[in-house]
Amino acid sequence: MKIAILISGRGSNMAALAENRQGFEICLVAADRPAAGLETAQKNGHRTALIDRKKYPAKQSHEAALADEIAAHDPDWIILAGYMSVLSETFISRFDGRVLNIHPSLLPDYKGLNTHARVLADKKTHHGVSVHLVTAALDDGPLLAQMKLAVAPNDTETSLSERVLALEHQLYPAVITALAEDFVHVEGLNVRWSDTSRLRSIAGGVVCFPPLD
Ligand code: GRF
């Protein structure tokens, strides 16, 4: 299975995917702005593309150029890893909805930015990470899996973001392996797991399956 990864920043999830490739290969790492993660990807020998948003007059023409670049590499899935733009329905349907995102919260709670600070401000007892199918709405779309942690009394925004990021690096490669090895099935917006214990064992932590748990 081939994946194209879209980034906008440091690319630590992209690097975790590269290190934990089981059943999939990375055919392209693309960014919408000059991103530190592109250098990491180049050093790791991946094909990279910078489709700079600033060089296009409108979001639509930027997205079309990005989609053409991705299509040339013929990926099975497009994996958003810190990609900071909301994709349109036109883009998503061009790839048959096979677009995945990771978000640092227990969706549907805390869509958008600054999730760790908002969780702390609300004195939540739990926090975590979600992997979901991408729709044209921000951080929406059916969930594939989540991992959660207990917020500690002394947690700060920094400590929480580090702990959640570690979970991201465990969960994302494991879910993509599940797609590659066919123990999760996605048809349109329907997600069906046929072996949840296998994901738990690959991810190595507390994994929740929203349709089941
Ligand atoms: C991660 O927290 C991811 O969940 C969010 O953006 C951040 C990207 O981090 N969507 P990195 O670029 O993968 O290090």
Short mmCIF file of all heavy atoms in Angstrom, two decimals, residues 24-83:
data_model
loop_
_atom_site.label_atom_id
_atom_site.label_comp_id
_atom_site.label_asym_id
_atom_site.label_seq_id
_atom_site.Cartn_x
_atom_site.Cartn_y
_atom_site.Cartn_z
N PHE A 24 3.24 -0.79 4.46
CA PHE A 24 3.01 0.36 3.57
C PHE A 24 4.32 1.05 3.24
O PHE A 24 5.29 0.93 3.98
CB PHE A 24 2.01 1.36 4.20
CG PHE A 24 2.45 1.98 5.50
CD1 PHE A 24 3.18 3.16 5.52
CD2 PHE A 24 2.13 1.38 6.73
CE1 PHE A 24 3.57 3.74 6.72
CE2 PHE A 24 2.53 1.95 7.94
CZ PHE A 24 3.25 3.14 7.92
N GLU A 25 4.32 1.77 2.11
CA GLU A 25 5.48 2.58 1.75
C GLU A 25 5.04 4.02 1.50
O GLU A 25 3.87 4.27 1.21
CB GLU A 25 6.19 2.01 0.53
CG GLU A 25 5.33 1.98 -0.70
CD GLU A 25 6.05 1.31 -1.87
OE1 GLU A 25 6.24 0.08 -1.82
OE2 GLU A 25 6.40 2.03 -2.82
N ILE A 26 6.00 4.93 1.64
CA ILE A 26 5.70 6.36 1.47
C ILE A 26 6.13 6.76 0.07
O ILE A 26 7.32 6.70 -0.27
CB ILE A 26 6.46 7.18 2.54
CG1 ILE A 26 5.97 6.77 3.94
CG2 ILE A 26 6.27 8.68 2.31
CD1 ILE A 26 6.85 7.29 5.09
N CYS A 27 5.15 7.14 -0.78
CA CYS A 27 5.51 7.48 -2.17
C CYS A 27 5.77 8.97 -2.32
O CYS A 27 6.37 9.39 -3.32
CB CYS A 27 4.45 7.00 -3.14
SG CYS A 27 2.82 7.70 -2.90
N LEU A 28 5.33 9.78 -1.35
CA LEU A 28 5.53 11.23 -1.46
C LEU A 28 5.31 11.88 -0.10
O LEU A 28 4.42 11.48 0.64
CB LEU A 28 4.50 11.82 -2.45
CG LEU A 28 4.52 13.35 -2.61
CD1 LEU A 28 5.79 13.80 -3.35
CD2 LEU A 28 3.29 13.84 -3.38
N VAL A 29 6.15 12.88 0.21
CA VAL A 29 5.88 13.78 1.34
C VAL A 29 5.74 15.17 0.72
O VAL A 29 6.68 15.66 0.08
CB VAL A 29 7.02 13.76 2.38
CG1 VAL A 29 6.73 14.77 3.49
CG2 VAL A 29 7.20 12.36 2.97
N ALA A 30 4.58 15.78 0.89
CA ALA A 30 4.34 17.10 0.29
C ALA A 30 3.96 18.10 1.37
O ALA A 30 3.35 17.75 2.38
CB ALA A 30 3.22 17.02 -0.75
N ALA A 31 4.34 19.37 1.14
CA ALA A 31 4.02 20.43 2.10
C ALA A 31 3.41 21.61 1.37
O ALA A 31 3.67 21.83 0.18
CB ALA A 31 5.29 20.86 2.84
N ASP A 32 2.61 22.38 2.10
CA ASP A 32 1.96 23.57 1.52
C ASP A 32 2.72 24.84 1.86
O ASP A 32 2.24 25.94 1.59
CB ASP A 32 0.51 23.68 2.00
CG ASP A 32 0.40 23.86 3.50
OD1 ASP A 32 1.41 23.66 4.21
OD2 ASP A 32 -0.69 24.21 3.97
N ARG A 33 3.86 24.69 2.54
CA ARG A 33 4.71 25.83 2.90
C ARG A 33 6.11 25.26 3.21
O ARG A 33 6.23 24.05 3.46
CB ARG A 33 4.15 26.55 4.13
CG ARG A 33 4.13 25.73 5.40
CD ARG A 33 3.19 26.28 6.45
NE ARG A 33 1.79 26.01 6.10
CZ ARG A 33 0.74 26.42 6.81
NH1 ARG A 33 0.90 27.11 7.91
NH2 ARG A 33 -0.49 26.13 6.43
N PRO A 34 7.14 26.11 3.21
CA PRO A 34 8.47 25.57 3.55
C PRO A 34 8.40 24.98 4.97
O PRO A 34 8.07 25.69 5.91
CB PRO A 34 9.37 26.82 3.51
CG PRO A 34 8.63 27.77 2.62
CD PRO A 34 7.18 27.53 2.87
N ALA A 35 8.63 23.70 5.11
CA ALA A 35 8.40 23.02 6.39
C ALA A 35 9.65 22.25 6.77
O ALA A 35 10.28 21.63 5.92
CB ALA A 35 7.21 22.07 6.25
N ALA A 36 9.98 22.29 8.07
CA ALA A 36 11.16 21.57 8.57
C ALA A 36 11.06 20.08 8.22
O ALA A 36 12.07 19.43 7.90
CB ALA A 36 11.29 21.75 10.07
N GLY A 37 9.86 19.56 8.25
CA GLY A 37 9.65 18.14 7.96
C GLY A 37 10.07 17.73 6.56
O GLY A 37 10.42 16.57 6.33
N LEU A 38 10.07 18.66 5.62
CA LEU A 38 10.50 18.32 4.26
C LEU A 38 11.97 17.94 4.23
O LEU A 38 12.37 17.03 3.49
CB LEU A 38 10.26 19.50 3.31
CG LEU A 38 8.86 19.66 2.71
CD1 LEU A 38 8.87 20.80 1.70
CD2 LEU A 38 8.37 18.38 2.05
N GLU A 39 12.77 18.66 5.04
CA GLU A 39 14.21 18.33 5.08
C GLU A 39 14.42 16.95 5.68
O GLU A 39 15.23 16.16 5.18
CB GLU A 39 14.96 19.37 5.93
CG GLU A 39 15.18 20.67 5.18
CD GLU A 39 15.71 21.76 6.10
OE1 GLU A 39 16.51 21.44 7.00
OE2 GLU A 39 15.30 22.92 5.92
N THR A 40 13.68 16.66 6.74
CA THR A 40 13.77 15.33 7.35
C THR A 40 13.42 14.26 6.31
O THR A 40 14.11 13.24 6.18
CB THR A 40 12.78 15.21 8.53
OG1 THR A 40 12.91 16.35 9.36
CG2 THR A 40 12.98 13.94 9.33
N ALA A 41 12.35 14.51 5.56
CA ALA A 41 11.90 13.53 4.56
C ALA A 41 12.97 13.33 3.48
O ALA A 41 13.24 12.21 3.06
CB ALA A 41 10.59 14.00 3.94
N GLN A 42 13.58 14.46 3.07
CA GLN A 42 14.64 14.35 2.05
C GLN A 42 15.81 13.54 2.58
O GLN A 42 16.34 12.66 1.89
CB GLN A 42 15.12 15.74 1.64
CG GLN A 42 14.29 16.34 0.52
CD GLN A 42 14.36 17.86 0.47
OE1 GLN A 42 15.14 18.47 1.19
NE2 GLN A 42 13.55 18.46 -0.37
N LYS A 43 16.20 13.83 3.84
CA LYS A 43 17.33 13.10 4.44
C LYS A 43 17.02 11.62 4.52
O LYS A 43 17.91 10.78 4.41
CB LYS A 43 17.61 13.63 5.85
CG LYS A 43 18.45 14.90 5.82
CD LYS A 43 18.84 15.32 7.23
CE LYS A 43 19.19 16.80 7.24
NZ LYS A 43 18.75 17.51 8.44
N ASN A 44 15.73 11.30 4.73
CA ASN A 44 15.34 9.89 4.83
C ASN A 44 15.14 9.25 3.46
O ASN A 44 14.72 8.10 3.36
CB ASN A 44 14.04 9.75 5.64
CG ASN A 44 14.29 10.02 7.12
OD1 ASN A 44 15.43 10.00 7.58
ND2 ASN A 44 13.23 10.29 7.86
N GLY A 45 15.39 10.04 2.40
CA GLY A 45 15.34 9.46 1.05
C GLY A 45 13.95 9.42 0.43
O GLY A 45 13.75 8.71 -0.57
N HIS A 46 12.99 10.16 0.99
CA HIS A 46 11.65 10.17 0.40
C HIS A 46 11.54 11.21 -0.71
O HIS A 46 12.21 12.24 -0.67
CB HIS A 46 10.59 10.46 1.47
CG HIS A 46 10.58 9.44 2.55
ND1 HIS A 46 10.35 8.11 2.31
CD2 HIS A 46 10.80 9.53 3.88
CE1 HIS A 46 10.43 7.44 3.43
NE2 HIS A 46 10.71 8.27 4.41
N ARG A 47 10.65 10.95 -1.65
CA ARG A 47 10.34 11.97 -2.65
C ARG A 47 9.54 13.07 -1.97
O ARG A 47 8.63 12.78 -1.18
CB ARG A 47 9.53 11.37 -3.80
CG ARG A 47 10.44 10.78 -4.87
CD ARG A 47 9.63 10.05 -5.91
NE ARG A 47 9.17 8.79 -5.35
CZ ARG A 47 8.56 7.84 -6.04
NH1 ARG A 47 8.30 8.03 -7.31
NH2 ARG A 47 8.19 6.72 -5.48
N THR A 48 9.91 14.31 -2.24
CA THR A 48 9.23 15.43 -1.58
C THR A 48 8.75 16.43 -2.62
O THR A 48 9.27 16.49 -3.73
CB THR A 48 10.17 16.16 -0.60
OG1 THR A 48 11.27 16.67 -1.33
CG2 THR A 48 10.64 15.25 0.52
N ALA A 49 7.75 17.22 -2.22
CA ALA A 49 7.25 18.30 -3.08
C ALA A 49 6.82 19.45 -2.19
O ALA A 49 6.18 19.24 -1.16
CB ALA A 49 6.08 17.81 -3.92
N LEU A 50 7.21 20.65 -2.58
CA LEU A 50 6.72 21.85 -1.90
C LEU A 50 5.77 22.53 -2.87
O LEU A 50 6.19 23.03 -3.92
CB LEU A 50 7.89 22.77 -1.54
CG LEU A 50 7.50 24.17 -1.05
CD1 LEU A 50 6.63 24.11 0.20
CD2 LEU A 50 8.76 25.00 -0.78
N ILE A 51 4.50 22.54 -2.53
CA ILE A 51 3.49 23.24 -3.33
C ILE A 51 3.07 24.42 -2.47
O ILE A 51 2.16 24.32 -1.64
CB ILE A 51 2.27 22.32 -3.64
CG1 ILE A 51 2.72 20.93 -4.09
CG2 ILE A 51 1.35 23.00 -4.67
CD1 ILE A 51 3.35 20.88 -5.46
N ASP A 52 3.82 25.51 -2.63
CA ASP A 52 3.71 26.64 -1.70
C ASP A 52 2.41 27.41 -1.92
O ASP A 52 2.18 27.95 -3.00
CB ASP A 52 4.93 27.56 -1.91
CG ASP A 52 5.14 28.51 -0.74
OD1 ASP A 52 4.17 28.77 0.00
OD2 ASP A 52 6.28 28.98 -0.59
N ARG A 53 1.61 27.46 -0.88
CA ARG A 53 0.31 28.15 -0.96
C ARG A 53 0.46 29.60 -1.42
O ARG A 53 -0.39 30.12 -2.14
CB ARG A 53 -0.37 28.08 0.42
CG ARG A 53 -1.63 28.91 0.58
CD ARG A 53 -2.79 28.34 -0.23
NE ARG A 53 -3.97 29.18 -0.15
CZ ARG A 53 -4.21 30.25 -0.93
NH1 ARG A 53 -3.36 30.61 -1.86
NH2 ARG A 53 -5.32 30.95 -0.79
N LYS A 54 1.59 30.21 -1.02
CA LYS A 54 1.80 31.63 -1.34
C LYS A 54 1.97 31.89 -2.84
O LYS A 54 1.85 33.01 -3.30
CB LYS A 54 3.05 32.15 -0.61
CG LYS A 54 2.80 32.38 0.86
CD LYS A 54 3.87 33.30 1.43
CE LYS A 54 3.60 33.57 2.90
NZ LYS A 54 4.79 33.43 3.70
N LYS A 55 2.30 30.83 -3.57
CA LYS A 55 2.56 31.02 -5.00
C LYS A 55 1.31 30.88 -5.85
O LYS A 55 1.38 30.94 -7.08
CB LYS A 55 3.64 30.04 -5.47
CG LYS A 55 4.94 30.26 -4.75
CD LYS A 55 6.13 29.74 -5.50
CE LYS A 55 7.42 30.26 -4.86
NZ LYS A 55 8.45 29.28 -4.72
N TYR A 56 0.18 30.68 -5.20
CA TYR A 56 -1.07 30.49 -5.96
C TYR A 56 -2.06 31.60 -5.60
O TYR A 56 -2.15 32.00 -4.43
CB TYR A 56 -1.67 29.11 -5.64
CG TYR A 56 -0.79 28.01 -6.18
CD1 TYR A 56 0.32 27.58 -5.46
CD2 TYR A 56 -1.03 27.46 -7.43
CE1 TYR A 56 1.16 26.61 -5.97
CE2 TYR A 56 -0.20 26.49 -7.94
CZ TYR A 56 0.91 26.06 -7.21
OH TYR A 56 1.74 25.11 -7.72
N PRO A 57 -2.81 32.06 -6.59
CA PRO A 57 -3.71 33.17 -6.33
C PRO A 57 -4.86 32.81 -5.40
O PRO A 57 -5.37 33.66 -4.68
CB PRO A 57 -4.23 33.55 -7.73
CG PRO A 57 -3.99 32.34 -8.58
CD PRO A 57 -2.81 31.64 -8.00
N ALA A 58 -5.27 31.54 -5.41
CA ALA A 58 -6.44 31.16 -4.62
C ALA A 58 -6.26 29.76 -4.05
O ALA A 58 -5.47 28.97 -4.56
CB ALA A 58 -7.68 31.19 -5.50
N LYS A 59 -7.02 29.49 -3.01
CA LYS A 59 -6.97 28.17 -2.35
C LYS A 59 -7.27 27.07 -3.37
O LYS A 59 -6.64 26.01 -3.36
CB LYS A 59 -8.00 28.17 -1.22
CG LYS A 59 -8.14 26.85 -0.47
CD LYS A 59 -9.16 26.99 0.65
CE LYS A 59 -9.73 25.66 1.13
NZ LYS A 59 -8.82 24.73 1.73
N GLN A 60 -8.24 27.36 -4.26
CA GLN A 60 -8.67 26.35 -5.23
C GLN A 60 -7.54 25.94 -6.19
O GLN A 60 -7.34 24.75 -6.45
CB GLN A 60 -9.82 26.94 -6.03
CG GLN A 60 -10.80 25.92 -6.54
CD GLN A 60 -11.91 26.62 -7.35
OE1 GLN A 60 -11.84 27.82 -7.60
NE2 GLN A 60 -12.89 25.86 -7.74
N SER A 61 -6.79 26.94 -6.69
CA SER A 61 -5.73 26.60 -7.64
C SER A 61 -4.57 25.90 -6.92
O SER A 61 -3.91 25.02 -7.48
CB SER A 61 -5.25 27.84 -8.40
OG SER A 61 -4.93 28.88 -7.50
N HIS A 62 -4.33 26.30 -5.66
CA HIS A 62 -3.29 25.61 -4.88
C HIS A 62 -3.65 24.15 -4.69
O HIS A 62 -2.85 23.24 -4.91
CB HIS A 62 -3.10 26.29 -3.52
CG HIS A 62 -2.18 25.53 -2.62
ND1 HIS A 62 -2.63 24.73 -1.59
CD2 HIS A 62 -0.83 25.40 -2.63
CE1 HIS A 62 -1.60 24.17 -1.00
NE2 HIS A 62 -0.50 24.55 -1.61
N GLU A 63 -4.87 23.92 -4.30
CA GLU A 63 -5.34 22.55 -4.05
C GLU A 63 -5.29 21.70 -5.31
O GLU A 63 -4.93 20.52 -5.26
CB GLU A 63 -6.79 22.61 -3.56
CG GLU A 63 -6.95 21.99 -2.22
CD GLU A 63 -8.42 21.80 -1.88
OE1 GLU A 63 -9.24 21.45 -2.75
OE2 GLU A 63 -8.72 22.01 -0.73
N ALA A 64 -5.62 22.31 -6.45
CA ALA A 64 -5.60 21.56 -7.72
C ALA A 64 -4.17 21.14 -8.05
O ALA A 64 -3.92 20.01 -8.49
CB ALA A 64 -6.19 22.41 -8.83
N ALA A 65 -3.21 22.06 -7.82
CA ALA A 65 -1.80 21.73 -8.09
C ALA A 65 -1.31 20.64 -7.14
O ALA A 65 -0.59 19.71 -7.56
CB ALA A 65 -0.94 22.99 -7.94
N LEU A 66 -1.72 20.75 -5.90
CA LEU A 66 -1.34 19.72 -4.91
C LEU A 66 -1.92 18.37 -5.31
O LEU A 66 -1.22 17.34 -5.29
CB LEU A 66 -1.87 20.15 -3.52
CG LEU A 66 -1.61 19.18 -2.37
CD1 LEU A 66 -0.12 19.08 -2.07
CD2 LEU A 66 -2.36 19.64 -1.11
N ALA A 67 -3.19 18.38 -5.71
CA ALA A 67 -3.86 17.13 -6.10
C ALA A 67 -3.17 16.51 -7.31
O ALA A 67 -2.99 15.28 -7.38
CB ALA A 67 -5.34 17.39 -6.37
N ASP A 68 -2.77 17.33 -8.29
CA ASP A 68 -2.08 16.80 -9.48
C ASP A 68 -0.76 16.15 -9.09
O ASP A 68 -0.41 15.08 -9.59
CB ASP A 68 -1.81 17.93 -10.49
CG ASP A 68 -3.08 18.39 -11.20
OD1 ASP A 68 -4.10 17.67 -11.14
OD2 ASP A 68 -3.05 19.48 -11.81
N GLU A 69 -0.02 16.82 -8.20
CA GLU A 69 1.27 16.27 -7.75
C GLU A 69 1.05 14.93 -7.04
O GLU A 69 1.76 13.95 -7.30
CB GLU A 69 1.96 17.27 -6.80
CG GLU A 69 3.27 16.78 -6.19
CD GLU A 69 4.38 16.63 -7.23
OE1 GLU A 69 4.44 17.46 -8.14
OE2 GLU A 69 5.20 15.69 -7.07
N ILE A 70 0.07 14.90 -6.17
CA ILE A 70 -0.21 13.65 -5.44
C ILE A 70 -0.63 12.55 -6.41
O ILE A 70 -0.12 11.43 -6.36
CB ILE A 70 -1.31 13.88 -4.38
CG1 ILE A 70 -0.81 14.83 -3.29
CG2 ILE A 70 -1.75 12.55 -3.75
CD1 ILE A 70 -1.90 15.33 -2.36
N ALA A 71 -1.54 12.87 -7.33
CA ALA A 71 -2.07 11.86 -8.26
C ALA A 71 -0.95 11.25 -9.10
O ALA A 71 -0.99 10.05 -9.43
CB ALA A 71 -3.13 12.49 -9.15
N ALA A 72 0.09 12.04 -9.41
CA ALA A 72 1.20 11.53 -10.21
C ALA A 72 1.94 10.40 -9.49
O ALA A 72 2.64 9.60 -10.13
CB ALA A 72 2.17 12.67 -10.53
N HIS A 73 1.79 10.33 -8.16
CA HIS A 73 2.49 9.28 -7.39
C HIS A 73 1.55 8.11 -7.04
O HIS A 73 1.96 7.17 -6.38
CB HIS A 73 3.11 9.89 -6.13
CG HIS A 73 4.16 10.92 -6.46
ND1 HIS A 73 5.48 10.60 -6.66
CD2 HIS A 73 4.06 12.25 -6.67
CE1 HIS A 73 6.16 11.69 -6.97
NE2 HIS A 73 5.32 12.71 -6.98
N ASP A 74 0.30 8.26 -7.41
CA ASP A 74 -0.69 7.19 -7.32
C ASP A 74 -0.80 6.51 -5.93
O ASP A 74 -0.72 5.28 -5.82
CB ASP A 74 -0.35 6.12 -8.38
CG ASP A 74 -1.53 5.21 -8.64
OD1 ASP A 74 -2.68 5.63 -8.42
OD2 ASP A 74 -1.29 4.05 -9.03
N PRO A 75 -0.99 7.30 -4.88
CA PRO A 75 -1.09 6.69 -3.54
C PRO A 75 -2.45 6.01 -3.33
O PRO A 75 -3.45 6.39 -3.96
CB PRO A 75 -0.97 7.89 -2.60
CG PRO A 75 -1.52 9.03 -3.38
CD PRO A 75 -1.17 8.76 -4.82
N ASP A 76 -2.46 5.03 -2.42
CA ASP A 76 -3.74 4.42 -2.02
C ASP A 76 -4.43 5.29 -0.98
O ASP A 76 -5.65 5.31 -0.90
CB ASP A 76 -3.48 3.02 -1.44
CG ASP A 76 -2.89 2.10 -2.48
OD1 ASP A 76 -3.61 1.74 -3.41
OD2 ASP A 76 -1.68 1.80 -2.38
N TRP A 77 -3.64 5.93 -0.13
CA TRP A 77 -4.19 6.79 0.92
C TRP A 77 -3.38 8.08 1.00
O TRP A 77 -2.17 8.07 0.79
CB TRP A 77 -4.15 6.09 2.29
CG TRP A 77 -5.28 5.13 2.47
CD1 TRP A 77 -5.29 3.81 2.11
CD2 TRP A 77 -6.57 5.42 3.03
NE1 TRP A 77 -6.51 3.26 2.42
CE2 TRP A 77 -7.30 4.22 2.99
CE3 TRP A 77 -7.16 6.56 3.57
CZ2 TRP A 77 -8.61 4.13 3.46
CZ3 TRP A 77 -8.46 6.47 4.05
CH2 TRP A 77 -9.18 5.28 3.98
N ILE A 78 -4.07 9.15 1.35
CA ILE A 78 -3.41 10.43 1.64
C ILE A 78 -3.49 10.65 3.14
O ILE A 78 -4.58 10.58 3.73
CB ILE A 78 -4.09 11.57 0.86
CG1 ILE A 78 -3.90 11.30 -0.63
CG2 ILE A 78 -3.51 12.92 1.26
CD1 ILE A 78 -4.79 12.12 -1.50
N ILE A 79 -2.34 10.87 3.73
CA ILE A 79 -2.24 10.92 5.19
C ILE A 79 -1.87 12.33 5.61
O ILE A 79 -0.76 12.81 5.32
CB ILE A 79 -1.14 9.92 5.65
CG1 ILE A 79 -1.40 8.50 5.11
CG2 ILE A 79 -0.99 9.93 7.17
CD1 ILE A 79 -2.71 7.88 5.53
N LEU A 80 -2.78 13.00 6.30
CA LEU A 80 -2.49 14.35 6.80
C LEU A 80 -1.76 14.21 8.13
O LEU A 80 -2.23 13.51 9.04
CB LEU A 80 -3.78 15.14 6.99
CG LEU A 80 -4.75 15.21 5.79
CD1 LEU A 80 -5.87 16.21 6.07
CD2 LEU A 80 -4.03 15.56 4.51
N ALA A 81 -0.62 14.88 8.24
CA ALA A 81 0.18 14.79 9.46
C ALA A 81 0.63 16.21 9.82
O ALA A 81 1.72 16.64 9.44
CB ALA A 81 1.36 13.86 9.26
N GLY A 82 -0.27 16.93 10.49
CA GLY A 82 0.04 18.33 10.79
C GLY A 82 -0.12 19.21 9.57
O GLY A 82 0.58 20.22 9.44
N TYR A 83 -1.03 18.85 8.67
CA TYR A 83 -1.30 19.67 7.49
C TYR A 83 -2.33 20.72 7.89
O TYR A 83 -3.43 20.38 8.34
CB TYR A 83 -1.82 18.79 6.34
CG TYR A 83 -1.98 19.55 5.05
CD1 TYR A 83 -0.86 20.01 4.36
CD2 TYR A 83 -3.24 19.84 4.53
CE1 TYR A 83 -0.99 20.72 3.17
CE2 TYR A 83 -3.37 20.55 3.34
CZ TYR A 83 -2.25 20.99 2.67
OH TYR A 83 -2.37 21.70 1.51
#
